[in-house]
Amino acid sequence: MRQLNLLVAEAQALGANAAEIAIDPAVGEVARILQICNACRYCEGFCAVFPAMTRRLTFSPSDIHYLANLCHNCGACLHACQYAPPHEFGVNVPQSMAVVRKETYIEYAWPRALGALYRKNGITLVLASSLALIFFLILTLALNGSLMSPSVNGNFYAVFSHNTLAYLFSATFLFAVLALGIGVRNFWQNISPGGMGSTSLVASAEAAHDALTLKYLGGGHGEGCNNADDGFSLWRKRFHHYTFYGFGLCFAATSVATLYHYVFGWQAPYAILSLPVILGTVGGVGLVIGPLGLLYLNFTRAEQHGDASQKPMDRGFILLLLLISISGLLLLAYRETAAMAILLAVHLGFVMAFFLTMPYSKFAHGVYRVAALLKNSIEKRQANNLMLGSE
């Protein structure tokens, strides 16, 4: 134990030096902590972060950005660490990683000036943008005299034409994809300077598996994450699954409906038992259960498990998903009533706000995390010349 403490003390000194030369204090703090972790290595089997850490002797800002996005913030290492607060070394990997992770979204955002929205993308911004769009759509309906029109048999295109909706949402969706794509490209080029060689099918498949199964929300032992205290729970992983696959099913419903319209010439509205409606309904239910659960966990999560300044962004994103799903299910339930036009305007306003803010919201964390998982899958198949950890 004495020898280990000496090693940790030496690592802390190295980390302090890293903090001094780092431009960003948050990056320097992670460098300090990782030097200590590299000397101890008790948590090496917990998640992908610690084996990736042992492949390095020093930590550049790009290394830290990569490791911060590889971290899933499960909290297991914090409660296993003998050097966690109140110890003088003050090792808190989840919290320090969360601070840097948010900064990566800001740094790699495109356009760069809009990266500041990550600091402000909270409930107020989400509601303000959504309500502004809803007000605009309702005003348009009122001016057209169709705000409280009688039932049109659930035909949304009798309220807003198909071409209007297609052009409007195609533009916002393509912008979101472009902004996120450029952002993650910038991130990848920074964490993998000069490239990483060929990406094997096996490495890509493993990264996809780890992302889709949320492997690293198991806490390194399969018992789950820490939330309010040091107790383990799988509910964070489960609510993430409800949210992710609920969103995927809703996207699939839209894709199938687009296929029906343009390929088969089948016009909306579709029957209750049609594939688009079934997919959208099941996805919508998932997008109610998941965000409600995540919102509860966010409010009860201990501050030591993450960055408190990131909570407004998290809550804004979760709330917007919840409002989209609830308004969508209400629209389906009342689509053949006179309230359909207003409900459609409300739902479209929330959806449009989601797409416009998507590149600068918590949605980006999934994209950056997949990139980090891919780098990890490639990197661990390469020779470890440092010989500091098992592969």
Side-chain angles (χ1 to χ4, degrees):
M1 179 62 70
R2 181 180 179 185
Q3 183 180 9
L4 178 60
N5 286 335
L6 290 174
L7 286 172
V8 173
E10 180 181 357
Q12 188 184 41
L14 289 172
N17 182 58
E20 291 173 4
I21 64 175
I23 297 175
D24 189 337
V27 169
E29 172 63 7
V30 173
R32 180 189 74 85
I33 287 175
L34 291 180
Q35 291 286 359
I36 296 173
C37 292
N38 229 347
C40 174
R41 293 174 53 193
Y42 179 79
C43 300
E44 188 174 343
F46 279 17
C47 71
V49 171
F50 296 98
M53 173 196 71
T54 64
R55 301 181 195 116
R56 293 157 173 81
L57 287 175
T58 59
F59 301 93
S60 67
S62 60
D63 288 329
I64 291 168
H65 290 171
Y66 156 54
L67 294 173
N69 283 277
L70 192 59
C71 171
H72 284 55
N73 203 5
C74 72
C77 60
L78 173 65
H79 294 285
C81 181
Q82 60 184 320
Y83 301 111
H87 192 279
E88 60 181 321
F89 291 164
V91 174
N92 188 330
V93 174
Q95 191 172 73
S96 61
M97 291 289 197
V99 174
V100 171
R101 195 158 49 245
K102 180 179 178 181
E103 291 186 356
T104 62
Y105 308 152
I106 298 170
E107 180 170 342
Y108 300 112
W110 184 88
R112 186 69 179 269
L114 295 181
L117 288 175
Y118 281 109
R119 294 193 178 95
K120 304 174 182 177
N121 199 338
I123 294 177
T124 302
L125 177 61
V126 163
L127 290 179
S129 57
S130 299
L131 292 176
L133 290 167
I134 291 170
F135 176 77
F136 171 77
L137 292 172
I138 289 179
L139 181 62
T140 301
L141 292 176
L143 292 176
N144 291 336
S146 55
L147 182 61
M148 295 299 294
S149 58
S151 173
V152 285
N153 298 320
N155 186 4
F156 302 152
Y157 302 141
V159 180
F160 295 104
S161 72
H162 177 272
N163 288 341
T164 297
L165 295 180
Y167 293 145
L168 193 61
F169 284 94
S170 294
T172 54
F173 178 73
L174 289 175
F175 167 75
V177 171
L178 177 65
L180 279 172
I182 294 177
V184 77
R185 183 204 63 180
N186 294 339
F187 173 67
W188 183 264
Q189 290 177 342
N190 186 264
I191 66 174
S192 303
M196 293 184 62
S198 60
T199 303
S200 71
L201 181 61
V202 175
S204 300
E206 181 185 60
H209 170 270
D210 292 347
L212 293 174
T213 61
L214 297 175
K215 175 181 177 180
Y216 295 112
L217 285 183
H221 37 60
E223 296 180 11
C225 300
N226 302 112
N227 194 63
D229 50 35
D230 60 353
F232 295 105
S233 171
L234 286 169
W235 280 111
R236 184 163 172 249
K237 183 176 183 177
R238 291 166 181 160
F239 288 137
H240 269 87
H241 275 304
Y242 275 114
T243 303
F244 177 79
Y245 289 105
F247 181 85
L249 288 172
C250 289
F251 186 79
T254 303
S255 301
V256 171
T258 301
L259 186 68
Y260 278 10
H261 183 90
Y262 287 105
V263 176
F264 299 107
W266 300 341
Q267 304 295 317
Y270 302 112
I272 292 295
L273 295 180
S274 65
L275 187 56
V277 175
I278 292 175
L279 289 173
T281 302
V282 176
V285 172
L287 273 181
V288 171
I289 297 173
L292 272 177
L294 290 176
L295 201 59
Y296 169 78
L297 292 179
N298 186 276
F299 275 98
T300 58
R301 191 167 176 82
E303 289 191 9
Q304 61 181 339
H305 293 149
D307 177 18
S309 68
Q310 192 173 309
K311 284 190 174 183
M313 179 178 70
D314 295 350
R315 292 170 185 173
F317 174 69
I318 296 170
L319 179 62
L320 187 53
L321 283 178
L322 185 60
L323 292 172
I324 288 172
S325 57
I326 291 175
S327 62
L329 291 173
L330 287 173
L331 178 60
L332 176 63
Y334 293 97
R335 66 177 181 172
E336 295 186 5
T337 70
M340 189 266 280
I342 293 180
L343 289 172
L344 179 61
V346 170
H347 180 64
L348 293 179
F350 287 135
V351 174
M352 196 180 303
F354 173 80
F355 283 129
L356 289 174
T357 61
M358 189 169 74
Y360 317 104
S361 71
K362 188 62 182 291
F363 184 91
H365 90 287
V367 181
Y368 285 91
R369 186 157 286 157
V370 170
L373 286 169
L374 178 59
K375 176 179 170 67
N376 176 66
S377 294
I378 297 171
E379 186 180 70
K380 75 179 189 178
R381 286 171 170 79
Q382 298 172 339
N384 182 8
N385 295 326
L386 298 179
M387 300 300 291
L388 292 178
S390 59
E391 296 297 302

